[in-house]
């Protein structure tokens, strides 16, 4: 369920209602964009949730299996919300913009993406401007995401916040080719903190890989690991 564990991060609301693609989907690539199977990334994610069995695999290769949301570049999409604490989604969701980077519109709390317990997740080729907001992306808990070829702009506190973010020996949390442009000198580019988990334990950041990132504006700190 979505019960609150004392001290644990807030859960995301469950998607409501059933969604259907605008045209039949074949294989494990779902097109997102004005002429795609879905117009919004979150609608495609809701579809994957309701059709989890169709996109799930079993056996030793399951952690490497994936389904790709092929997002039309140059367009702006609603902020991404993905809560997989209850393992309601298939493993390995790749959200990749084709051509020009796609953009994400911050939601009411300022985040352009909030991801909980995402295994084998990938977000690639997005230009995310959250000017006037505190944080661009938050990723929570036991997760093995890859964030690649992103540009983050305008955050006043944190570019990416990893709240109790922990990969594992079979899959790290990877931050690759990310350009960080803060709003001002008081911000932290990538902040990885200890946090309470939904199982009542405290998670310290671990199994993290940071590659080819550029901190292009003045930060209070480019990288902060382990602080509260």
């Amino acid at each position: 369920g979505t019960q609150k564990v004392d001290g644990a991060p807030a859960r995301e609301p469950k998607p409501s209602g059933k969604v259907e693609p605008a045209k039949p989907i074949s294989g494990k690539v779902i097109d997102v964009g004005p002429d795609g199977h879905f117009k919004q990334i979150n609608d495609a994610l809701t579809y994957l949730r309701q059709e989890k069995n169709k996109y799930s695999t079993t056996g030793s290769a399951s952690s490497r299996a994936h389904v790709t949301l092929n997002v039309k570049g140059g367009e702006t999409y609603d902020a991404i919300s993905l809560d997989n604490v209850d393992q309601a989604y298939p493993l390995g969701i790749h959200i990749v913009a084709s051509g020009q980077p796609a953009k994400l519109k911050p939601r009411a709390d300022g985040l352009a993406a909030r991801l909980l317990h995402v295994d084998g997740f990938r977000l690639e080729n997005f230009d995310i401007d959250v000017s006037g907001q505190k944080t661009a992306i938050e990723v929570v808990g036991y997760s093995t995401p890859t964030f690649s070829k992103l540009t983050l702009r305008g955050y006043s506190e944190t570019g990416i916040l990893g709240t109790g973010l922990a990969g594992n020996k079979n899959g790290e949390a990877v931050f690759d080719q990310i350009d960080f442009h803060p709003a001002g000198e008081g911000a932290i580019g990538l902040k990885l903190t200890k946090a309470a988990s939904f199982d009542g334990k405290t998670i310290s950041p671990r199994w993290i890989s940071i590659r080819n990132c550029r901190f292009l504006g003045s930060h209070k700190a480019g990288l902060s690991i382990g602080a509260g």
Side-chain angles (χ1 to χ4, degrees), residues 19-23 25 30-48 50 69-70 77:
V19 297
E20 295 294 342
K23 51 190 175 184
I25 297 169
I30 297 173
D31 294 328
V32 178
D35 302 315
H37 296 107
F38 297 98
K39 287 183 167 55
Q40 289 291 341
I41 294 167
N42 285 333
D43 288 340
L45 292 174
T46 298
Y47 176 78
L48 289 178
Q50 74 190 31
L69 304 189
N70 176 42
Y77 301 89

Side-chain angles (χ1 to χ4, degrees), residues 1-5 9-15 48-50 52-53 56 82-91 93 115-119 140-143 197-199:
T2 56
Q3 72 272 19
K4 184 82 166 70
V5 177
R11 298 288 301 274
E12 289 289 288
K14 288 183 178 178
L48 289 178
R49 179 187 172 100
Q50 74 190 31
K52 177 187 175 183
N53 291 340
S56 295
L82 179 54
D83 182 335
N84 200 32
V85 174
D86 299 326
Q87 299 181 340
Y89 295 84
L91 291 173
I93 296 172
L115 314 161
L116 288 78
H117 287 224
V118 287
D119 198 2
V140 176
Y142 302 109
S143 296
S197 178
F198 303 102
D199 58 11

